[in-house]
């Protein structure tokens, strides 16, 4: 009898273990602002954005509008446990989060997400028409990234006191195939894409206009990490430690460029200056080893290459981008 019980327990355990492999954790779908707000209740979940979220989507008025939360707008996704970072997977599936409003001038680590932890991953997500105001570590997507951000972009206006970026305030992790447009305004450490970068940034660009007093760069304000195959074109305005691509830092900058004409900056703490015509010439980038190919027009994509360009007409753009 005892042997039969043991045997049955072993069979049940085996079936349970098999189920773990046959049935992976359920992916949680996000369709409304209420669904997005619920992410903070499970920071280890695997989420799929199923459609664009904007001012017409249910939950916007009470959660993400200029009148939400007594005028503070969206409360960044952050947990209540000791590790308050997002440690799951957020897959935007190419959809956008639009019209996000955040007004937290006395709060740090601010964006759609507060902090993306080392195990966290955000991918294929756009943050469009966001207005974000905070103090330190400020970005439209995340205040601080310690994990992985892939194929993400922003077209937003971001304002803060220090460590401010168009997409991410500070990147301690890895950012790949990302871009940012819009504007960045801060007192110190403002970058078109990232404010501070102790991590890695690859195959990314920024066209954001950036204004700061100290430490300002078209792509990154302060770089102590590694930046590769990236560029910037936005207007850069500052009083000290100001650069067309990077404002300040001793990190590695490999095969990167900035537009000396549109930026208004002749120097940078890394990268190579080019004229606007040179920035629209494929030879500039193919000669530096970029994975790039010409296409017929801006609406055409060659997905077999990371970068596409309409030679002589456009700056390089990512083949996946909208």
């Amino acid at each position: 009898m005892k042997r039969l019980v043991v045997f049955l327990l072993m069979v049940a355990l085996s079936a349970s273990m098999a189920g773990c492999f046959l049935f992976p954790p359920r992916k949680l779908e996000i369709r409304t602002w209420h669904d997005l707000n619920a992410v903070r209740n499970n920071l280890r979940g695997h989420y799929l954005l199923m459609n664009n979220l904007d001012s017409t989507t249910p939950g916007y008025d009470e959660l993400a509008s200029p009148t939400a939360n007594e005028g503070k707008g969206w409360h960044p996704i952050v947990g209540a446990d000791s590790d308050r970072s997002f440690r799951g997977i957020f897959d935007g599936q190419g959809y956008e989060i639009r019209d996000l409003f955040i007004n937290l001038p006395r709060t740090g680590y601010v964006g759609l997400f507060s902090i993306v932890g080392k195990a966290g991953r955000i991918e294929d997500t756009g943050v469009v028409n966001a207005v974000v105001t905070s103090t330190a570590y400020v970005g439209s997507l995340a205040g601080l990234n310690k994990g992985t951000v892939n194929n993400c972009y922003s077209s937003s206006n971001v304002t803060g006191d220090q460590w401010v970026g168009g997409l991410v305030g500070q990147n301690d992790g890895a950012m790949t195939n990302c871009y940012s447009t819009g504007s960045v305004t801060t007192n110190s450490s403002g970058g078109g894409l990232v404010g501070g970068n102790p991590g890695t940034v690859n195959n990314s660009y920024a066209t954001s206009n950036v204004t700061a007093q100290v430490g300002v760069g078209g792509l990154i304000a302060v770089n102590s990490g590694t930046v590769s195959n990236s560029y910037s074109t936005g207007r850069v305005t500052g009083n000290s430690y100001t650069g067309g691509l990077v404002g300040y830092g001793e990190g590695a900058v490999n095969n990167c460029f900035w537009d000396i004409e549109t930026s208004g900056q002749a120097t940078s703490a890394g990268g190579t200056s080019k004229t606007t015509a040179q920035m629209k010439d494929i030879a500039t980038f193919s000669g530096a080893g970029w994975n790039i190919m010409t296409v017929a027009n801006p609406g055409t994509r060659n997905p077999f290459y990371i970068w596409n360009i309409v030679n002589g007409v456009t700056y390089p753009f990512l083949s996946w981008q909208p």
Side-chain angles (χ1 to χ4, degrees), residues 218-235:
L219 187 75
I220 295 169
V222 179
N223 176 46
S224 56
T226 301
V227 187
S228 303
N229 294 18
S230 300
Y231 76 88
S232 64
T233 66
R235 186 77 180 176

Side-chain angles (χ1 to χ4, degrees), residues 19 64 93 106 187 230 249:
Q93 300 196 108
R106 294 179 178 85
N187 291 321
S230 300

Side-chain angles (χ1 to χ4, degrees), residues 114-308:
S114 178
I115 301 172
V116 180
K118 290 183 179 180
R121 187 167 85 237
I122 302 178
E123 57 193 17
D124 299 316
T125 303
V127 182
V128 175
N129 196 36
V131 177
V132 182
T133 303
S134 181
T135 174
Y137 301 99
V138 192
S140 59
L141 182 68
L144 172 63
N145 172 50
K146 296 181 179 181
T148 302
V149 175
N150 291 329
N151 293 25
C152 291
Y153 62 97
S154 170
S155 178
S156 305
N157 298 322
V158 184
T159 303
D161 292 330
Q162 59 183 340
W163 305 114
V164 181
L167 189 66
V168 171
Q170 176 159 308
N171 174 50
D172 289 3
M175 295 177 61
T176 305
N177 300 350
C178 295
Y179 71 91
S180 179
T181 68
S183 68
V184 174
T185 306
T186 180
N187 291 321
S188 67
S189 307
L193 184 73
V194 176
N197 178 53
T200 60
V201 174
N202 296 314
N203 293 313
S204 299
Y205 74 92
T207 65
S208 306
N209 294 325
V210 190
T211 303
Q213 297 297 316
V214 180
V216 53
L219 187 75
I220 295 169
V222 179
N223 176 46
S224 56
T226 301
V227 187
S228 303
N229 294 18
S230 300
Y231 76 88
S232 64
T233 66
R235 186 77 180 176
V236 178
T237 305
N239 293 327
S240 59
Y241 297 109
T242 302
L245 185 80
V246 178
Y248 175 79
E250 299 179 350
V253 180
N254 306 314
N255 305 320
C256 295
F257 306 93
W258 83 93
D259 190 320
I260 195 172
E261 297 179 61
T262 58
S263 68
Q265 298 295 327
T267 61
S268 171
T272 303
S273 64
K274 296 291 182 179
T275 65
T276 300
Q278 290 171 323
M279 290 289 291
K280 295 181 178 181
D281 185 346
I282 189 174
T284 297
F285 307 96
S286 60
W290 284 33
N291 184 256
I292 189 169
M293 177 55 65
T294 57
V295 291
N297 58 68
T300 304
R301 297 288 188 273
N302 185 333
F304 296 102
Y305 293 82
I306 295 172
W307 295 95
N308 289 173

